[in-house]
């Protein structure tokens, strides 16, 4: 199987990332040289295999052998709207042969022809997946669904890379016991990166129950976080124990075109709205059993769903104090169901009051569907960028800002994006800092994130806000 970056290069990048996670620092010069090499390899790969990227390069006069990453960043970054650049009429008309043709323009991997015969959007996604191409989707308030195509190698990176460093970050917060943190540090120095990942993922959180405020199946971005975490806990409990339908998500916002689409939309609404009280009662019962069994818990969800769970717990029983070593992790849109922003300090205070956890046990992650990385906020309020992810800050004219610390439009160059162009302009505006973090971990940090002006609320948050309006 062809991999990008090449396997030996990827292993060395992962080794240095493990070092950063375990020790708080790594050899920055060596890491930057390896990432440069990987990004240039990807540029050649994209130019050779992805028609849309090649067209952009040709218009900019950037050839496949260009070795100037600054020039590539200046001329060849693509907006993340690329992943929803297909004509919407293709989905309206059920033209999945047309969707295949569009996908082949932005994807380095072969697009399975069998998907042309799909009867609806869900069948198209499922057929592609069965044939080796996984589409991770996201949608916002417009209902225009983004599709990010991952072949086997890129999917492998997508689900595994956060486990290179996330266990160490959880250990910093007391969610993993000291002996596990020490064992991981020893393993990180003595075994290969692949062996380390296998051992850590096998070790998992087998003494911990998982409470996941999302769907138990489906390829929507933030839902996948809970689904993947759910594989490594003792028992997993999902707020919505069914698959999230892409057809339903699109139909709810844009309107169903067929009776089958309407049926899927109705089923989605039944799960998320009509059965809401039943779903929360089941989750609260699972939390109580976890406490009764003297097990730790990991609670994961978006801010608005965690807010709702806390309110349901308060109404049902006041509070459910969790065992020491439990943790609450959230990520995704900050808007509540009524469209207002939830104050972060108020949410964290409510979480602590509801579950009886210390401040360090509540953590937030920042990511996006288009990257193989998760940025976790430390106790000092900074999102730590894993050292393999190259970040850029762009000015309003989309030119890279040279300063290490800057404010502007967020862009990324992801060395582990092999099946699609990983040189992307996101829809977020951020403050980036290169100043040392008080927590002691080295590298870049993100101080603040917000959607860029004119960009829609993205992901599950935007959809659920509409559903519950």
């Amino acid at each position: 199987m062809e991999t990008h970056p090449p396997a030996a290069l990827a292993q060395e990048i992962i080794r240095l990332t493990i070092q950063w996670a375990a020790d708080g620092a790594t050899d920055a010069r060596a890491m930057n040289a390896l990432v440069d090499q990987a990004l240039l390899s990807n540029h050649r790969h994209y130019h050779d295999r992805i028609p849309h990227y090649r067209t952009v390069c040709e218009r900019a006069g950037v050839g496949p052998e260009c070795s100037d990453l600054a020039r590539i960043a200046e001329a060849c970054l693509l907006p993340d709207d690329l992943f929803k650049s297909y004509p919407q009429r293709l989905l309206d008309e059920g033209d999945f042969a047309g969707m295949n043709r569009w996908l082949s323009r932005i994807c380095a991997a072969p697009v399975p022809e069998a998907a042309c015969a799909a009867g609806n959007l869900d069948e198209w996604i499922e057929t592609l997946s069965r044939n080796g191409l996984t589409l991770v989707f996201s949608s916002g308030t417009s209902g225009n669904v983004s599709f990010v195509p991952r072949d086997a190698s890129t999917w492998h990176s997508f689900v595994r890379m956060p486990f290179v460093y996330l266990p160490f970050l959880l250990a910093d917060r007391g969610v993993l016991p000291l002996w596990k943190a020490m064992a991981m540090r020893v393993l990180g120095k003595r075994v290969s990166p692949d062996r380390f990942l296998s051992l850590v993922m096998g070790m998992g959180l087998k003494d911990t129950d998982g409470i996941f405020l999302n769907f138990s199946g489906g390829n929507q971005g933030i839902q996948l976080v809970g689904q993947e975490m759910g594989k490594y806990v003792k028992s997993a409990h999902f707020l919505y124990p069914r698959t999230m339908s892409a057809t339903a998500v699109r139909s709810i916002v844009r309107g169903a075109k067929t009776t089958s689409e309407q049926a899927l939309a109705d089923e989605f609404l039944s799960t998320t709205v009509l059965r809401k009280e039943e779903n929360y009662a089941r989750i609260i019962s699972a939390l109580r059993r976890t406490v009764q069994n003297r097990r730790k818990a990991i609670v994961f969800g978006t801010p608005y769903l965690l807010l709702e769970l806390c309110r349901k717990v308060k109404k049902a029983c006041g509070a459910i104090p969790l065992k020491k070593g439990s943790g609450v992790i959230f990520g995704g849109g900050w808007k509540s169901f009524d469209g207002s922003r939830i104050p972060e300090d108020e949410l964290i205070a409510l979480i602590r009051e509801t579950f009886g956890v210390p401040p360090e046990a509540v953590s937030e992650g920042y990511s996006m569907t288009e990257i193989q990385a998760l940025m976790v906020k430390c106790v000092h309020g900074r999102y730590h960028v894993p050292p393999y992810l190259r970040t850029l800050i762009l000015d309003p004219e989309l030119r890279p800002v040279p300063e290490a610390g800057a404010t502007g439009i967020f862009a990324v160059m992801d060395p582990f994006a092999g099946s699609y162009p990983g040189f992307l302009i996101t829809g977020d505006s951020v403050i980036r800092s290169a100043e040392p973090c008080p927590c002691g971990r080295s590298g870049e940090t993100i101080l603040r994130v917000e959607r860029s002006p004119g960009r829609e609320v993205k992901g599950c948050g935007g959809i659920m806000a509409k559903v519950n309006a």
Side-chain angles (χ1 to χ4, degrees), residues 129-356:
S129 181
R130 286 198 305 271
N131 288 274
L133 190 63
T134 302
L135 292 189
V136 179
F137 73 88
S138 66
S139 184
T141 49
S142 70
N144 294 347
V145 183
S146 293
F147 300 105
V148 181
R150 288 180 166 90
D151 61 7
S153 173
T154 307
W155 175 256
H156 184 77
S157 295
F158 179 66
V159 297
R160 286 170 65 93
M161 282 307 296
F163 285 95
V164 171
Y165 49 90
L166 184 58
F168 291 102
L169 304 185
L170 291 177
D172 290 346
R173 291 178 170 272
V175 176
L176 289 183
L178 181 60
W179 73 266
K180 277 192 178 182
M182 294 176 64
M184 289 189 303
R185 284 185 170 87
V186 171
L187 288 172
K189 294 174 181 177
R190 294 188 178 179
V191 302
S192 70
D194 271 347
R195 180 63 175 155
F196 171 82
L197 272 169
S198 296
L199 290 171
V200 167
M201 294 171 81
M203 186 185 304
L205 296 161
K206 297 304 182 184
D207 58 349
T208 303
D209 290 342
I211 306 296
F212 304 110
L213 306 183
N214 54 257
F215 285 78
S216 61
N219 285 12
Q220 199 271 346
I222 199 165
Q223 310 298 315
L224 284 165
V225 178
Q227 291 164 32
E228 288 301 313
M229 291 176 63
K231 296 175 181 178
Y232 305 104
V233 295
K234 184 174 182 63
S235 62
H237 306 274
F238 292 89
L239 181 62
Y240 309 124
R242 60 186 314 111
T243 296
M244 187 181 200
S245 163
T247 302
V249 167
R250 186 173 188 270
S251 298
I252 286 167
V253 179
R254 296 181 62 87
K257 299 294 189 295
T258 66
T259 54
S260 63
E261 288 182 359
Q262 186 61 56
L264 288 168
D266 290 344
E267 184 178 331
F268 183 98
L269 292 170
S270 175
T271 298
T272 58
V273 180
L274 299 181
R275 299 175 63 186
K276 177 188 290 188
E277 297 304 321
E278 173 189 336
N279 287 331
Y280 277 111
R282 181 170 36 77
I283 289 296
I284 291 171
S285 293
L287 281 165
R288 284 172 161 166
R289 286 195 301 274
T290 293
V291 172
Q292 290 167 0
N293 293 329
R294 298 181 180 179
R295 288 199 293 267
K296 296 183 294 183
I298 285 284
V299 183
F300 170 79
T302 55
Y304 63 89
L305 286 176
L306 272 169
L307 174 68
E308 195 160 62
L309 175 61
C310 289
R311 289 172 174 170
K312 299 291 184 186
V313 169
K314 184 175 183 179
K315 182 178 179 181
C317 54
I320 303 179
L322 301 177
K323 184 179 178 179
K324 182 180 178 180
S326 296
V328 180
I329 306 171
F330 60 88
W334 266 94
K335 288 194 174 179
S336 65
F337 289 145
D338 63 7
S340 60
R341 184 177 174 85
I342 307 164
E344 181 177 0
D345 56 348
E346 291 183 20
L347 177 62
I348 292 175
L350 183 58
I351 289 171
R352 292 189 57 208
E353 177 185 342
T354 302
F355 301 115

Side-chain angles (χ1 to χ4, degrees), residues 95-105 111-116 124 128:
D95 182 356
F96 293 102
M99 289 298 293
N100 265 25
R101 288 192 295 273
W102 165 76
L103 196 58
S104 68
R105 291 280 304 167
V111 179
E113 291 186 12
C116 293
W124 183 58
L128 291 172

Side-chain angles (χ1 to χ4, degrees), residues 26 68 143 145 160 166 375 381 405 425:
T26 191
D68 184 352
V145 183
R160 286 170 65 93
L166 184 58
M375 290 160 268
I425 304 168

